[in-house]
Amino acid sequence: MNTDSKKINTSRISISELMLPSHSNFSGKIHGGYILSLMDKIAFACASKYSGRYCVTASVDTVDFLSPIEVGELVTLKACVNYVGRSSMVVGIRVISQNIQTGKIKHSNSSYFTMVAKDDDGNTVAVPRPILTTLDEVRRFYDSLRRIKAKKEHMEDTNSFDHTSREALDRLSDYGAILTL
Ligand SMILES: CCCCCCCCCCCCCCCC(=O)SCCNC(=O)CCNC(=O)[C@H](O)C(C)(C)COP(=O)(O)OP(=O)(O)OC[C@H]1O[C@@H](n2cnc3c(N)ncnc32)[C@H](O)[C@@H]1OP(=O)(O)O
């Protein structure tokens, strides 16, 4: 177990990038996949900065795209480590876009990436214990814990659900689905 400790706020990082026509999709808006790749990059940078280790993405929480991003807008991603396990870190990411001419800012999306630190042999490795210095950091830490617990419960629910049971098949009609087995 790594007994070092580190202030969680040392993980704070932000990147800005101007959105070019090459980043757009068929409708002329910025491609969501491009934003996701920027989010993965900043999550990697944030977790590696905190842990001093090479990190891999273990999981990505839901990403809801709240408003489209236009070509020519300046996209800024802000990230910080919210929660630290033994080898895993939950990185909170907020993405905003700004129209450079008008200055108008839109919240594009937010998400949580779970990153895991690895050593040079590719084994998971303990990361420093987090030092929290503000109540916002305490809130984010507990919010992460709640999401981890909810995900675990959801997995247990999914694993114990029998989709072939009479009850499950009957219930399909509640959702307007027609069964023709
Ligand atoms: C410094 C060098 C510079 C190099 C300069 C390169 C520059 C380059 C630019 C890079 C730009 C972007 C880079 C992005 C990084 C990729 O894109 S990485 C590619 C995509 N990700 C992967 O390939 C990961 C594949 N999966 C794995 O390796 C393993 O399954 C994992 C995730 C490490 C877990 O391994 P495991 O054997 O199950 O280990 P286990 O001990 O059970 O779990 C370890 C921890 O992971 C957690 N965990 C495992 N699975 C999950 C899950 N699904 N959800 C949440 N937590 C999980 C566990 O709870 C545990 O947490 P702790 O209790 O330790 O805190």
Side-chain angles (χ1 to χ4, degrees), residues 143-160:
D143 286 349
S144 287
L145 267 177
R146 260 195 300 280
R147 280 191 302 273
I148 291 168
K149 189 164 167 270
K151 186 173 170 181
K152 210 174 271 175
E153 285 167 4
H154 175 71
M155 287 304 291
E156 284 165 8
D157 226 36
T158 304
N159 291 338
S160 64

PDB file of all heavy atoms in Angstrom, residues 143-160:
ATOM      1  N   ASP A 143     -19.923  12.306  -3.223  1.00  0.00           N
ATOM      2  CA  ASP A 143     -20.756  12.093  -4.417  1.00  0.00           C
ATOM      3  C   ASP A 143     -20.219  10.895  -5.208  1.00  0.00           C
ATOM      4  O   ASP A 143     -20.979  10.071  -5.713  1.00  0.00           O
ATOM      5  CB  ASP A 143     -20.768  13.339  -5.322  1.00  0.00           C
ATOM      6  CG  ASP A 143     -21.623  14.457  -4.744  1.00  0.00           C
ATOM      7  OD1 ASP A 143     -22.366  14.204  -3.770  1.00  0.00           O
ATOM      8  OD2 ASP A 143     -21.547  15.594  -5.252  1.00  0.00           O
ATOM      9  N   SER A 144     -18.886  10.803  -5.313  1.00  0.00           N
ATOM     10  CA  SER A 144     -18.274   9.677  -6.041  1.00  0.00           C
ATOM     11  C   SER A 144     -18.584   8.366  -5.337  1.00  0.00           C
ATOM     12  O   SER A 144     -18.936   7.378  -5.983  1.00  0.00           O
ATOM     13  CB  SER A 144     -16.751   9.838  -6.120  1.00  0.00           C
ATOM     14  OG  SER A 144     -16.419  10.844  -7.012  1.00  0.00           O
ATOM     15  N   LEU A 145     -18.424   8.376  -4.024  1.00  0.00           N
ATOM     16  CA  LEU A 145     -18.710   7.151  -3.252  1.00  0.00           C
ATOM     17  C   LEU A 145     -20.134   6.677  -3.488  1.00  0.00           C
ATOM     18  O   LEU A 145     -20.392   5.492  -3.669  1.00  0.00           O
ATOM     19  CB  LEU A 145     -18.516   7.422  -1.758  1.00  0.00           C
ATOM     20  CG  LEU A 145     -17.152   7.099  -1.169  1.00  0.00           C
ATOM     21  CD1 LEU A 145     -17.121   7.491   0.302  1.00  0.00           C
ATOM     22  CD2 LEU A 145     -16.833   5.615  -1.319  1.00  0.00           C
ATOM     23  N   ARG A 146     -21.083   7.652  -3.521  1.00  0.00           N
ATOM     24  CA  ARG A 146     -22.500   7.303  -3.756  1.00  0.00           C
ATOM     25  C   ARG A 146     -22.678   6.699  -5.145  1.00  0.00           C
ATOM     26  O   ARG A 146     -23.394   5.718  -5.313  1.00  0.00           O
ATOM     27  CB  ARG A 146     -23.384   8.550  -3.607  1.00  0.00           C
ATOM     28  CG  ARG A 146     -24.070   8.628  -2.245  1.00  0.00           C
ATOM     29  CD  ARG A 146     -25.195   9.646  -2.249  1.00  0.00           C
ATOM     30  NE  ARG A 146     -24.701  10.972  -2.559  1.00  0.00           N
ATOM     31  CZ  ARG A 146     -24.113  11.755  -1.655  1.00  0.00           C
ATOM     32  NH1 ARG A 146     -23.964  11.356  -0.423  1.00  0.00           N
ATOM     33  NH2 ARG A 146     -23.673  12.944  -2.001  1.00  0.00           N
ATOM     34  N   ARG A 147     -21.993   7.285  -6.160  1.00  0.00           N
ATOM     35  CA  ARG A 147     -22.128   6.747  -7.524  1.00  0.00           C
ATOM     36  C   ARG A 147     -21.537   5.336  -7.608  1.00  0.00           C
ATOM     37  O   ARG A 147     -22.085   4.463  -8.266  1.00  0.00           O
ATOM     38  CB  ARG A 147     -21.435   7.674  -8.543  1.00  0.00           C
ATOM     39  CG  ARG A 147     -22.270   8.893  -8.937  1.00  0.00           C
ATOM     40  CD  ARG A 147     -21.659   9.600 -10.126  1.00  0.00           C
ATOM     41  NE  ARG A 147     -20.300  10.013  -9.858  1.00  0.00           N
ATOM     42  CZ  ARG A 147     -19.973  11.168  -9.276  1.00  0.00           C
ATOM     43  NH1 ARG A 147     -20.899  12.031  -8.953  1.00  0.00           N
ATOM     44  NH2 ARG A 147     -18.719  11.455  -9.030  1.00  0.00           N
ATOM     45  N   ILE A 148     -20.406   5.109  -6.916  1.00  0.00           N
ATOM     46  CA  ILE A 148     -19.765   3.777  -6.927  1.00  0.00           C
ATOM     47  C   ILE A 148     -20.720   2.753  -6.313  1.00  0.00           C
ATOM     48  O   ILE A 148     -20.920   1.663  -6.832  1.00  0.00           O
ATOM     49  CB  ILE A 148     -18.411   3.818  -6.175  1.00  0.00           C
ATOM     50  CG1 ILE A 148     -17.397   4.641  -6.983  1.00  0.00           C
ATOM     51  CG2 ILE A 148     -17.875   2.417  -5.899  1.00  0.00           C
ATOM     52  CD1 ILE A 148     -16.134   5.000  -6.226  1.00  0.00           C
ATOM     53  N   LYS A 149     -21.352   3.136  -5.185  1.00  0.00           N
ATOM     54  CA  LYS A 149     -22.285   2.234  -4.498  1.00  0.00           C
ATOM     55  C   LYS A 149     -23.493   1.944  -5.391  1.00  0.00           C
ATOM     56  O   LYS A 149     -23.908   0.792  -5.531  1.00  0.00           O
ATOM     57  CB  LYS A 149     -22.722   2.902  -3.185  1.00  0.00           C
ATOM     58  CG  LYS A 149     -23.499   2.045  -2.264  1.00  0.00           C
ATOM     59  CD  LYS A 149     -23.547   2.657  -0.860  1.00  0.00           C
ATOM     60  CE  LYS A 149     -24.581   1.972  -0.011  1.00  0.00           C
ATOM     61  NZ  LYS A 149     -25.922   2.571  -0.086  1.00  0.00           N
ATOM     62  N   ALA A 150     -24.018   2.999  -6.036  1.00  0.00           N
ATOM     63  CA  ALA A 150     -25.201   2.828  -6.898  1.00  0.00           C
ATOM     64  C   ALA A 150     -24.858   1.919  -8.080  1.00  0.00           C
ATOM     65  O   ALA A 150     -25.673   1.086  -8.479  1.00  0.00           O
ATOM     66  CB  ALA A 150     -25.689   4.187  -7.394  1.00  0.00           C
ATOM     67  N   LYS A 151     -23.635   2.067  -8.616  1.00  0.00           N
ATOM     68  CA  LYS A 151     -23.237   1.238  -9.766  1.00  0.00           C
ATOM     69  C   LYS A 151     -23.147  -0.237  -9.347  1.00  0.00           C
ATOM     70  O   LYS A 151     -23.579  -1.127 -10.074  1.00  0.00           O
ATOM     71  CB  LYS A 151     -21.885   1.742 -10.298  1.00  0.00           C
ATOM     72  CG  LYS A 151     -21.441   1.061 -11.574  1.00  0.00           C
ATOM     73  CD  LYS A 151     -20.188   1.724 -12.120  1.00  0.00           C
ATOM     74  CE  LYS A 151     -19.596   0.907 -13.258  1.00  0.00           C
ATOM     75  NZ  LYS A 151     -18.378   1.501 -13.790  1.00  0.00           N
ATOM     76  N   LYS A 152     -22.589  -0.452  -8.156  1.00  0.00           N
ATOM     77  CA  LYS A 152     -22.458  -1.822  -7.642  1.00  0.00           C
ATOM     78  C   LYS A 152     -23.853  -2.456  -7.477  1.00  0.00           C
ATOM     79  O   LYS A 152     -24.087  -3.589  -7.888  1.00  0.00           O
ATOM     80  CB  LYS A 152     -21.721  -1.781  -6.291  1.00  0.00           C
ATOM     81  CG  LYS A 152     -20.903  -3.027  -6.025  1.00  0.00           C
ATOM     82  CD  LYS A 152     -20.072  -2.889  -4.766  1.00  0.00           C
ATOM     83  CE  LYS A 152     -18.711  -2.294  -5.019  1.00  0.00           C
ATOM     84  NZ  LYS A 152     -17.948  -2.044  -3.789  1.00  0.00           N
ATOM     85  N   GLU A 153     -24.790  -1.692  -6.902  1.00  0.00           N
ATOM     86  CA  GLU A 153     -26.156  -2.198  -6.694  1.00  0.00           C
ATOM     87  C   GLU A 153     -26.831  -2.487  -8.033  1.00  0.00           C
ATOM     88  O   GLU A 153     -27.522  -3.483  -8.195  1.00  0.00           O
ATOM     89  CB  GLU A 153     -26.980  -1.188  -5.883  1.00  0.00           C
ATOM     90  CG  GLU A 153     -26.597  -1.206  -4.412  1.00  0.00           C
ATOM     91  CD  GLU A 153     -27.151  -0.022  -3.622  1.00  0.00           C
ATOM     92  OE1 GLU A 153     -27.912   0.798  -4.189  1.00  0.00           O
ATOM     93  OE2 GLU A 153     -26.812   0.081  -2.440  1.00  0.00           O
ATOM     94  N   HIS A 154     -26.575  -1.589  -9.014  1.00  0.00           N
ATOM     95  CA  HIS A 154     -27.169  -1.762 -10.339  1.00  0.00           C
ATOM     96  C   HIS A 154     -26.640  -3.043 -10.990  1.00  0.00           C
ATOM     97  O   HIS A 154     -27.409  -3.804 -11.597  1.00  0.00           O
ATOM     98  CB  HIS A 154     -26.843  -0.541 -11.208  1.00  0.00           C
ATOM     99  CG  HIS A 154     -27.299  -0.668 -12.620  1.00  0.00           C
ATOM    100  ND1 HIS A 154     -28.630  -0.624 -12.974  1.00  0.00           N
ATOM    101  CD2 HIS A 154     -26.618  -0.876 -13.771  1.00  0.00           C
ATOM    102  CE1 HIS A 154     -28.748  -0.790 -14.272  1.00  0.00           C
ATOM    103  NE2 HIS A 154     -27.533  -0.953 -14.793  1.00  0.00           N
ATOM    104  N   MET A 155     -25.337  -3.316 -10.827  1.00  0.00           N
ATOM    105  CA  MET A 155     -24.727  -4.527 -11.398  1.00  0.00           C
ATOM    106  C   MET A 155     -25.340  -5.778 -10.769  1.00  0.00           C
ATOM    107  O   MET A 155     -25.651  -6.743 -11.460  1.00  0.00           O
ATOM    108  CB  MET A 155     -23.204  -4.545 -11.163  1.00  0.00           C
ATOM    109  CG  MET A 155     -22.416  -3.579 -12.013  1.00  0.00           C
ATOM    110  SD  MET A 155     -22.693  -3.807 -13.759  1.00  0.00           S
ATOM    111  CE  MET A 155     -21.894  -5.374 -14.015  1.00  0.00           C
ATOM    112  N   GLU A 156     -25.529  -5.718  -9.429  1.00  0.00           N
ATOM    113  CA  GLU A 156     -26.117  -6.873  -8.718  1.00  0.00           C
ATOM    114  C   GLU A 156     -27.536  -7.131  -9.215  1.00  0.00           C
ATOM    115  O   GLU A 156     -27.938  -8.268  -9.452  1.00  0.00           O
ATOM    116  CB  GLU A 156     -26.109  -6.628  -7.205  1.00  0.00           C
ATOM    117  CG  GLU A 156     -24.707  -6.802  -6.610  1.00  0.00           C
ATOM    118  CD  GLU A 156     -24.582  -6.211  -5.199  1.00  0.00           C
ATOM    119  OE1 GLU A 156     -25.608  -5.809  -4.620  1.00  0.00           O
ATOM    120  OE2 GLU A 156     -23.443  -6.157  -4.723  1.00  0.00           O
ATOM    121  N   ASP A 157     -28.265  -6.020  -9.413  1.00  0.00           N
ATOM    122  CA  ASP A 157     -29.638  -6.078  -9.928  1.00  0.00           C
ATOM    123  C   ASP A 157     -29.659  -6.721 -11.309  1.00  0.00           C
ATOM    124  O   ASP A 157     -30.470  -7.611 -11.580  1.00  0.00           O
ATOM    125  CB  ASP A 157     -30.132  -4.627 -10.055  1.00  0.00           C
ATOM    126  CG  ASP A 157     -31.501  -4.468  -9.483  1.00  0.00           C
ATOM    127  OD1 ASP A 157     -31.791  -5.134  -8.483  1.00  0.00           O
ATOM    128  OD2 ASP A 157     -32.277  -3.665 -10.055  1.00  0.00           O
ATOM    129  N   THR A 158     -28.753  -6.263 -12.165  1.00  0.00           N
ATOM    130  CA  THR A 158     -28.675  -6.756 -13.546  1.00  0.00           C
ATOM    131  C   THR A 158     -28.347  -8.244 -13.554  1.00  0.00           C
ATOM    132  O   THR A 158     -28.951  -9.020 -14.305  1.00  0.00           O
ATOM    133  CB  THR A 158     -27.582  -5.976 -14.324  1.00  0.00           C
ATOM    134  OG1 THR A 158     -27.891  -4.598 -14.232  1.00  0.00           O
ATOM    135  CG2 THR A 158     -27.522  -6.390 -15.793  1.00  0.00           C
ATOM    136  N   ASN A 159     -27.393  -8.639 -12.698  1.00  0.00           N
ATOM    137  CA  ASN A 159     -26.956 -10.036 -12.699  1.00  0.00           C
ATOM    138  C   ASN A 159     -28.034 -10.982 -12.179  1.00  0.00           C
ATOM    139  O   ASN A 159     -28.083 -12.144 -12.563  1.00  0.00           O
ATOM    140  CB  ASN A 159     -25.675 -10.196 -11.867  1.00  0.00           C
ATOM    141  CG  ASN A 159     -24.508  -9.523 -12.552  1.00  0.00           C
ATOM    142  OD1 ASN A 159     -24.530  -9.316 -13.764  1.00  0.00           O
ATOM    143  ND2 ASN A 159     -23.478  -9.150 -11.788  1.00  0.00           N
ATOM    144  N   SER A 160     -28.909 -10.462 -11.275  1.00  0.00           N
ATOM    145  CA  SER A 160     -29.920 -11.359 -10.705  1.00  0.00           C
ATOM    146  C   SER A 160     -31.233 -11.330 -11.509  1.00  0.00           C
ATOM    147  O   SER A 160     -32.154 -12.078 -11.208  1.00  0.00           O
ATOM    148  CB  SER A 160     -30.180 -10.987  -9.243  1.00  0.00           C
ATOM    149  OG  SER A 160     -30.729  -9.694  -9.205  1.00  0.00           O
TER     150      SER A 160
END
